[in-house]
Amino acid sequence: MSENPTNASLSAWAHSVMPGGVSHELRFRKPHPIYIERALGAEKWDIEGRRYIDFKLGAASQLLGNSHPAVMEAVAQQLTKTPYSGDCHALEITWAEWLQKLFPSADLVRFTGSGTESTMLALRLGRAFSGKDKVLRIDGHFHGWHDMLLKGSKPGANTPPSLGVSAAITDLTVVAPPAIDAIRDYLEQDPQIGTIFVEASGANYGSVPLPDGFLQQIRDLATETGKVLIFDEVITGLRWSPGGRQARDGVTPDLTTLAKVVTGGLPGGAVVGRADIMALLDPGKPIDGLAPPVSHKGTFNAAPMVAAGAIAAMELLSTGEPQRQADAMADRLRNGINEKMGKHGVKGFAYGDSSTCHMFFGGTSIDGMSAAEIRTQPATLVSGLRNGLLERGVDLMSFTSCVTSSAHTPELIDEALEIFDETFADLAHQGILST
């Protein structure tokens, strides 16, 4: 690396060693990504020293803001002992106990290496407990990048958005709209469906909200039909409330998948759930000669340095105060964006639940629209908005959506809104935004 690297020079170097020059497809950007050197609170700085107001926040993992002192100190202290040894340790018990206290569904806890791994394990448990191979998932909901739940992650498509996924696997996945009557019909028509997967926020962390009462209705239907109900709370867990959306809304699934905020923003994940289902992971309780009945490994599950940071985060997040601050800042951001859109005569609006902010362009309501209709917006608009904001110092999470943290302040939100104002004006002038 040169003494004075730039985003462009790092991208050129990256292309020589990584496909597309990136380690995550959503980090790809033309002409090149930004390369972040440090991040603190609700701000971050790239390799060229440029500052950004951060609404990506580690893909929604940093609810406390980047580099929170309590989490950093806990990790630093643990590093003086060991980051990882491959053994049991006391920190994993304390961390599991926190999740047990906070999440209504958490009779027992098993840690994983990521959110994707947590959904893989939860599905394996659902199949083992139900004795049925098929899973029903909701159109457009996202459950990680693994083969078993990839079909249906692209709204409106009944195929996986990737090559290399076998039809033998996708045939076991049934994609349904978020409509209870339609789901009931699928369950009645196909007795091999034993598991139901739902992103608790609605598709893509709530950009496509679930119908009112849907979670309770799907809980009732799963109970009535004897299906294993799994809530994906990888984003909603600890963000919507200290106990996730299930605690906030009073709806308890059989299993819950967790990651991101629940790890203190560090790499890892977890599955929590009913004792009788989670018991299938117990090596001391064999079934049919299998010990454990459901196999699960993972080198870095509950690594001590992750557990240390997560526990420090739990102590803050369990109070609910960080969530209240993040929610208030998201509300300020949504209201401000709507005011700026009105100022420029933009046909669109900002919306969202909890500490999220989504933007829809080309209409005044998303009521009755499908996930495909809501998530499909002109590529020129999406890239124009993202690039225009980024060039002026605001980074969104993805597409036309973002999240806030407890580190955001009214002053930072108002600064960001002025940047939205400039960007909307520029896009309207170019004819990219409909007015």
Side-chain angles (χ1 to χ4, degrees):
M1 187 169 72
S2 65
E3 290 186 10
N4 297 298
T6 64
N7 291 312
S9 67
L10 287 180
S11 181
W13 181 20
H15 273 270
S16 71
V17 292
M18 295 185 285
V22 293
S23 53
H24 187 307
E25 63 190 51
L26 294 183
R27 295 173 195 163
F28 181 83
R29 176 177 177 265
K30 292 182 177 180
H32 53 71
I34 58 171
Y35 287 80
I36 297 302
E37 188 172 47
R38 63 188 179 94
L40 181 64
E43 301 166 275
K44 58 187 179 184
W45 292 261
D46 70 15
I47 197 73
E48 299 174 12
R50 296 186 63 199
R51 167 185 170 268
Y52 304 86
I53 301 173
D54 189 8
F55 292 107
K56 180 185 293 178
L57 295 161
S61 66
Q62 308 297 328
L63 178 56
L64 294 171
N66 297 300
S67 308
H68 191 280
V71 176
M72 298 283 279
E73 176 62 22
V75 173
Q77 287 296 317
Q78 183 57 39
L79 286 174
T80 67
K81 302 173 183 177
T82 177
Y84 173 75
S85 68
D87 298 297
C88 296
H89 54 92
L91 291 172
E92 64 184 349
I93 307 172
T94 301
W95 185 13
E97 190 173 59
W98 268 112
L99 301 188
Q100 194 177 57
K101 290 177 182 177
L102 294 173
F103 286 88
S105 64
D107 291 345
L108 293 172
V109 178
R110 172 61 67 89
F111 292 109
T112 65
S114 69
T116 287
E117 288 186 26
S118 71
T119 64
M120 290 169 63
L121 177 59
L123 179 53
R124 181 176 290 182
L125 283 166
R127 284 175 167 155
F129 189 82
S130 69
K132 299 180 184 297
D133 288 341
K134 288 189 176 181
V135 56
L136 183 143
R137 49 106 78 236
I138 310 301
D139 180 42
H141 288 207
F142 183 72
H143 305 296
W145 55 266
H146 61 86
D147 290 3
M148 279 81 77
L149 290 168
L150 198 57
K151 173 184 172 182
S153 60
K154 182 178 180 180
N158 202 36
T159 56
S162 175
L163 299 177
V165 182
S166 170
I169 292 174
T170 60
D171 286 348
L172 297 176
T173 302
V174 176
V175 181
I180 291 299
D181 288 344
I183 293 171
R184 181 184 294 277
D185 288 343
Y186 277 112
L187 298 181
E188 290 176 350
Q189 293 165 12
D190 196 336
Q192 282 306 304
I193 298 172
T195 305
I196 300 171
F197 241 102
V198 178
E199 191 179 350
S201 58
N204 294 154
Y205 58 105
S207 62
V208 186
L210 290 168
D212 290 343
F214 179 85
L215 291 182
Q216 185 60 60
Q217 292 168 0
I218 198 73
R219 171 66 279 175
D220 293 342
L221 181 59
T223 301
E224 175 191 335
T225 56
K227 311 303 180 185
V228 176
L229 178 62
I230 302 173
F231 281 180
D232 185 332
E233 293 227 47
V234 165
I235 288 185
T236 54
L238 277 157
R239 181 172 284 277
W240 260 236
S241 82
R245 182 157 187 182
Q246 60 187 262
R248 193 195 75 173
D249 291 9
V251 183
T252 305
D254 300 311
L255 297 172
T256 305
T257 62
L258 300 166
K260 297 187 186 290
V261 177
V262 83
T263 65
L266 297 162
V271 176
V272 304
R274 275 171 39 186
D276 56 342
I277 301 177
M278 297 295 287
L280 293 171
L281 294 165
D282 189 342
K285 297 179 179 178
I287 296 176
D288 296 333
L290 294 174
V294 171
S295 178
H296 170 240
K297 302 176 178 69
T299 296
F300 295 108
N301 298 344
M305 67 173 183
V306 175
I311 292 167
M314 294 301 102
E315 293 172 355
L316 299 168
L317 293 163
S318 63
T319 67
E321 186 53 41
Q323 293 88 340
R324 283 188 285 273
Q325 172 68 11
D327 289 358
M329 293 303 97
D331 188 55
R332 188 183 187 96
L333 180 65
R334 293 189 297 262
N335 290 336
I337 290 174
N338 283 327
E339 187 274 327
K340 301 300 183 186
M341 285 184 175
K343 172 183 173 182
H344 294 286
V346 175
K347 192 177 182 182
F349 61 98
Y351 64 100
D353 193 8
S354 186
S355 49
T356 68
C357 177
H358 310 286
M359 288 168 278
F360 180 77
F361 296 93
T364 58
S365 173
I366 57 172
D367 291 346
M369 294 179 67
S370 68
E373 291 170 320
I374 294 170
R375 295 302 296 168
T376 302
Q377 300 197 57
T380 53
L381 187 156
V382 173
S383 62
L385 181 64
R386 286 293 304 276
N387 291 340
L389 291 171
L390 200 62
E391 288 166 5
R392 293 174 173 88
V394 165
D395 192 17
L396 300 185
M397 179 168 159
S398 60
F399 305 109
T400 52
S401 297
C402 64
V403 291
T404 55
S405 73
S406 61
H408 283 88
T409 62
E411 293 76 19
L412 281 173
I413 296 296
D414 292 347
E415 181 185 348
L417 287 171
E418 289 308 307
I419 292 173
F420 272 94
D421 189 28
E422 295 173 15
T423 304
F424 286 150
D426 187 33
L427 294 176
H429 178 72
Q430 296 177 51
I432 293 175
L433 280 176
S434 59
T435 58

